C-alpha cells in the first residue's frame, strides 16, 4: 500500500457563514476552484469549527504499518 490516513475524534459545530469572506480572502485557490460562481459557492459552503479530543495517524507505506495516537 502507498497511502496514509489521519482521523480526528471530537466535536464539530457549524458556524455558518461568519468567516467565509475571510477564508476566501486568505485562500486564493478557493477563488480558482469556484471561479464560475464564487458568490454561490460562498452561500453553499459551511464553516465548521472542530474541537479535537483525540486523533490517529496510519502510514501504510511502512512495514509494519506505523500507527500513532494523539490526545488533545
Amino acid at each position: 500500500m502507498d497511502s496514509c490516513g489521519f482521523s480526528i475524534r471530537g466535536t464539530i459545530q457549524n458556524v455558518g457563514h461568519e468567516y467565509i469572506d475571510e477564508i476566501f480572502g486568505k485562500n486564493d485557490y478557493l477563488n480558482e476552484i469556484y471561479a464560475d460562481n464564487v458568490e454561490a459557492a460562498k452561500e453553499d459552503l459551511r464553516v465548521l469549527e472542530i474541537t479535537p479530543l483525540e486523533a490517529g495517524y496510519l502510514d501504510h507505506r511502512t512495514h509494519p504499518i506505523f500507527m500513532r495516537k494523539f490526545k488533545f
Side-chain angles (χ1 to χ4, degrees):
M1 293 190 149
D2 62 352
S3 62
C4 302
F6 190 79
S7 65
I8 298 175
R9 192 171 292 191
T11 60
I12 188 166
Q13 178 180 350
N14 182 346
V15 294
H17 295 93
E18 184 176 350
Y19 301 102
I20 199 79
D21 288 329
E22 182 179 346
I23 291 168
F24 269 77
K26 291 182 177 182
N27 297 282
D28 292 334
Y29 67 90
L30 289 173
N31 293 292
E32 293 174 25
I33 292 170
Y34 299 107
D36 291 342
N37 198 340
V38 172
E39 292 308 313
K42 287 181 179 182
E43 285 186 33
D44 291 339
L45 295 171
R46 299 293 179 262
V47 179
L48 303 174
E49 177 183 290
I50 301 170
T51 304
L53 298 174
E54 58 186 32
Y57 172 75
L58 288 169
D59 190 342
H60 293 273
R61 300 171 299 177
T62 62
H63 186 59
I65 294 172
F66 176 80
M67 183 187 325
R68 174 77 46 94
K69 292 187 178 184
F70 306 89
K71 292 198 183 258
F72 294 89

